Amino acid sequence: MASSSKTEQKKMLILKSSEEEEFEIEESIAVQSGTIKNMVEDDFTLIPLPNVDTETLIKIIKYMKKHGEKTKSNEKDIEEFDKEFVKKSFTELKELVLAANYLHITSLIDLLCQAFADRIKNKSVKAIREIFGIPNDFTPEEEAEVYEQHKWAHEEGKEHIDHSAY
Amino acid sequence: MAGRKRRKMKLLAATAPTAPTIPTAPNNGGASSEEREANEHNSLSRVPAELLEQILCRLNLKENVRASAVCKQWLAASISVRVANKPPWLMFFPKFGDMVEFYDPSVRQTYSVELPELRGSRLCYAKDGWLLLYKPRTLSVFFFNPYTRDVINLPALELTYQIVAFSEAPTSPDCLVFTVKHVSPTLVAISTCNPGATEWTTANYQNRLPFVSSIWNKLVFCNGLFYCLSLTGWLGVYDPEEQTWLVRVVPPPRCPENFFVKNWWKGKFMAEHNGDIYVIYTCSTANPVIYKLDQINKIWVEMQTLGGLTLFASFLSSQARTDILGVMRNSIYFSKVRFYGRRCISYSVDHDRYYPRKQCYDWGEQDPFESIWIDAPPDLSAFN
């Protein structure tokens, strides 16, 4: 792949997904990722990302491009983009947050963590386990103790506890 | 044995794929089989601790506590980010000597410290970690922080038979002290003062409706106004900014018939929380009744539940808290009635009973100046 042309002002980088697919991106946009920024400072232009699959990388690039063009006037526009961006399945969100964490994109980590919090806040314990694929590692006695200590939080009361794993 | 092994393996194999659980909860659809397979193949199906904490720190206390039951990693993460309010402490004023006791209801622990600064004075009010006290001999009025032992003096005033309150900590520039004195059924004298002033400002105000002000009245500061509940349940409101006094046209909270027994005028409490005003009526032969002021419809509404709130009732001033651990929700905490027994008793609104259960609790029997709820200290350095 040709490296950045001398006539262009903007330096380009190449990000390579775990599936070996390559994506060109402006350096000024890519350095929203702390991880990529570090590698650029070490003179890398081809950035291998073995922890990020193609599908997820495409989404992350889309996010960074949108947030790279942030100005005072398009704040509302970016808010809308963010709102739509998190309308994804739990699996996709999980891939994204792990990738964002690995790539050190603070604003994206915040956005995704908030989305997770909003989606799981009314979920039952069993639904949360299903969503995250977490086995119950409490013994029956330990689990009973955890429930007993704060019975009040597990009672349905007036609010609806959601048992679906969507 | 097996349990310990399992735990060790978990620490080492954080990225090992975990077997999906068979869904047992009834759910409409639940996770699709593809999703479950994806979870299985995804070697990072376990979210790392620092990410988990970032998610959990965005939940409120109840949601946080629920999340802690998911698995051990979630239990540890939720506890590490959990933010809960501290309940107030109960301060016991000594009848003799200078030894003041403080009781923390969340851990049932008592602390004591000698406070000679309080000698000869009488408790008046507590708010934001500060006490207001009065010395009848010298007519001196002063603020006292029992933990830092800071004293802020106010100009003298005769306060022997009056109820007095303040809006916020005296260290705040907007702090205002307020007291109301009965002149006649149609006239009250209101005195106000702020820390730093050289004298109190006193003015007379008319009562459009009969209103009796006495030491048995209750005072709270709420939404910029001082609310004063008379013995018979009428509400007088003082606006410090407009300098107006109005007896509100709100029928008194209904006092159940059987509440007119001995000491009926004493077992009353008033508290404020987030702009809402609560009144508690107690009686030795019945369970407490709680009212909340509906400002829009101008009536007191009887509360069957407190929506997660806990009230801490003491004669001179009461407190309210949400999001606390260690004390019960939807409950009222009282100081003990007599010399013996527990320091603190609670009444559960949800379960309609006192803890511990007794024949009767007569809050009218309490010495009104003996104890008061006050904000917990930031640490235990005051007690060494």
Side-chain angles (χ1 to χ4, degrees):
Chain A
M1 281 262 332
S3 58
S4 57
S5 124
K6 289 196 185 110
T7 55
E8 280 199 337
Q9 293 284 359
K10 299 193 173 161
K11 177 148 177 251
M12 303 298 281
L13 298 176
I14 295 167
L15 306 182
K16 190 154 90 164
S17 75
S18 59
E19 288 137 318
E20 311 269 307
E21 283 200 50
E22 297 183 351
F23 299 88
E24 220 185 9
I25 183 173
E26 286 173 29
E27 180 191 296
S28 58
I29 295 196
V31 294
Q32 287 175 79
S33 151
T35 308
I36 294 177
K37 184 158 184 258
N38 285 341
M39 293 185 86
V40 163
E41 280 163 8
D42 285 345
D43 278 337
F44 280 83
T45 46
L46 171 61
I47 318 264
L49 302 171
N51 286 358
V52 188
D53 63 45
T54 303
E55 222 189 284
T56 307
L57 185 55
I58 290 173
K59 291 173 192 149
I60 292 203
I61 290 175
K62 191 169 170 205
Y63 176 89
M64 287 200 290
K65 280 192 170 153
K66 188 72 184 183
H67 279 252
E69 55 187 53
K70 194 179 198 160
T71 64
K72 284 228 157 91
S73 53
N74 66 358
E75 260 180 46
K76 275 259 151 82
D77 188 33
I78 292 194
E79 259 179 55
E80 273 306 310
F81 171 86
D82 284 353
K83 249 203 307 203
E84 287 303 310
F85 190 80
V86 295
K87 286 184 183 168
K88 295 178 164 58
S89 73
F90 273 116
T91 317
E92 289 174 274
L93 284 183
K94 224 167 53 182
E95 293 298 332
L96 275 166
V97 78
L98 291 170
N101 190 40
Y102 167 70
L103 289 169
H104 248 71
I105 309 171
T106 329
S107 66
L108 182 55
I109 297 171
D110 282 343
L111 177 67
L112 292 167
C113 285
Q114 186 62 52
F116 265 112
D118 292 338
R119 297 264 287 264
I120 66 171
K121 53 172 60 155
N122 286 325
K123 295 285 180 193
S124 69
V125 171
K126 290 198 171 104
I128 294 177
R129 285 186 191 137
E130 224 187 289
I131 288 163
F132 286 89
I134 303 173
N136 178 4
D137 59 355
F138 288 121
T139 65
E141 293 81 33
E142 287 169 339
E143 190 168 8
E145 207 195 308
V146 170
Y147 273 87
E148 186 62 32
Q149 267 194 353
H150 298 295
K151 252 197 301 211
W152 56 275
H154 298 283
E155 281 153 16
E156 278 219 29
K158 293 231 163 77
E159 63 210 68
H160 168 65
I161 293 190
D162 189 358
H163 295 282
S164 79
Y166 279 124
Chain B
M1 261 283 242
R4 220 181 299 144
K5 257 210 196 119
R6 236 181 291 135
R7 236 172 287 150
K8 261 213 184 117
M9 281 181 64
K10 205 155 305 298
L11 283 171
L12 296 170
T15 56
T18 50
T21 49
I22 299 160
T24 48
N27 50 44
N28 309 317
S32 64
S33 53
E34 298 93 70
E35 273 208 15
R36 261 181 272 133
E37 264 174 42
N39 285 341
E40 206 182 327
H41 292 311
N42 184 357
S43 63
L44 295 169
S45 65
R46 178 145 293 195
V47 178
E50 72 268 16
L51 263 189
L52 190 53
E53 284 178 10
Q54 286 221 38
I55 296 173
L56 296 178
C57 74
R58 292 154 199 275
L59 302 177
N60 69 26
L61 183 64
K62 189 168 184 171
E63 294 155 0
N64 173 302
V65 168
R66 261 218 297 273
S68 68
V70 169
C71 69
K72 291 183 178 168
Q73 186 204 25
W74 281 54
L75 175 62
S78 62
I79 287 176
S80 78
V81 300
R82 187 172 294 167
V83 175
N85 290 327
K86 289 195 271 191
W89 284 17
L90 196 49
M91 175 178 149
F92 289 92
F93 213 72
K95 288 209 176 353
F96 312 103
D98 302 325
M99 191 65 83
V100 177
E101 291 193 316
F102 293 86
Y103 178 72
D104 178 349
S106 66
V107 294
R108 301 189 190 166
Q109 188 93 344
T110 303
Y111 305 90
S112 40
V113 63
E114 291 219 346
L115 297 175
E117 298 94 325
L118 301 184
R119 222 177 277 164
S121 53
R122 186 192 85 194
L123 274 174
C124 295
Y125 205 74
K127 190 164 183 184
D128 294 347
W130 284 84
L131 298 168
L132 185 68
L133 298 126
Y134 173 64
K135 281 190 179 160
R137 273 240 256 128
T138 52
L139 306 187
S140 80
V141 189
F142 63 105
F143 281 103
F144 184 67
N145 183 319
Y147 308 121
T148 64
R149 299 169 79 158
D150 288 331
V151 176
I152 297 178
N153 284 305
L154 291 172
L157 189 73
E158 160 82 68
L159 280 180
T160 313
Y161 303 106
Q162 285 163 242
I163 188 90
V164 56
F166 57 97
S167 60
E168 56 201 296
T171 42
S172 154
D174 297 326
C175 170
L176 192 69
V177 188
F178 165 89
T179 181
V180 53
K181 183 164 99 169
H182 176 86
V183 177
S184 77
T186 52
L187 209 65
V188 291
I190 289 176
S191 303
T192 56
C193 187
N194 62 331
T198 49
E199 54 179 23
W200 290 76
T201 307
T202 303
N204 284 353
Y205 294 86
Q206 292 259 327
N207 295 328
R208 268 189 306 137
L209 298 171
F211 185 90
V212 177
S213 182
S214 70
I215 197 87
W216 311 113
N217 286 20
K218 303 290 153 200
L219 281 177
V220 291
F221 182 76
C222 172
N223 288 335
L225 305 170
F226 283 98
Y227 288 81
C228 183
L229 188 78
S230 79
L231 256 190
T232 47
W234 290 96
L235 204 55
V237 183
Y238 179 70
D239 184 334
E241 223 155 281
E242 304 289 315
Q243 292 183 355
T244 55
W245 164 259
L246 211 69
V247 181
R248 285 267 175 92
V249 187
V250 179
R254 202 180 61 79
C255 199
E257 282 305 309
N258 56 351
F259 273 47
F260 285 91
V261 294
K262 179 174 90 132
N263 294 331
W264 65 270
W265 61 88
K266 280 166 86 180
K268 293 187 160 86
F269 308 89
M270 186 153 93
E272 180 276 332
H273 182 74
N274 280 357
D276 283 321
I277 298 178
Y278 298 85
V279 158
I280 305 166
Y281 279 5
T282 66
C283 168
S284 58
T285 56
N287 286 335
V289 178
I290 306 171
Y291 292 95
K292 183 165 102 165
L293 179 63
D294 178 343
Q295 305 249 22
I296 300 167
N297 296 312
K298 305 206 190 304
I299 48 167
W300 291 95
V301 179
E302 191 177 330
M303 304 294 283
Q304 306 297 341
T305 175
L306 287 176
L309 191 67
T310 305
L311 297 172
F312 298 86
S314 46
F315 182 87
L316 294 165
S317 60
S318 300
Q319 305 234 359
R321 292 283 191 279
T322 51
D323 293 338
I324 29 169
L325 294 175
V327 299
M328 301 200 294
R329 253 136 247 84
N330 298 320
S331 300
I332 311 170
Y333 277 75
F334 299 94
S335 164
K336 64 177 174 56
V337 180
R338 292 175 186 267
F339 302 119
Y340 49 83
R342 292 159 174 251
R343 313 246 70 181
C344 172
I345 289 144
S346 66
Y347 172 77
S348 164
V349 178
D350 286 343
H351 304 124
D352 291 327
R353 56 159 287 192
Y354 279 102
Y355 289 87
R357 216 192 279 274
K358 247 184 85 116
Q359 288 293 357
C360 65
Y361 281 107
D362 188 355
W363 304 110
E365 289 260 341
Q366 261 188 338
D367 176 343
F369 305 103
E370 174 194 70
S371 61
I372 198 166
W373 289 102
I374 181 173
D375 283 11
D379 53 55
L380 293 177
S381 55
F383 304 105
N384 288 329

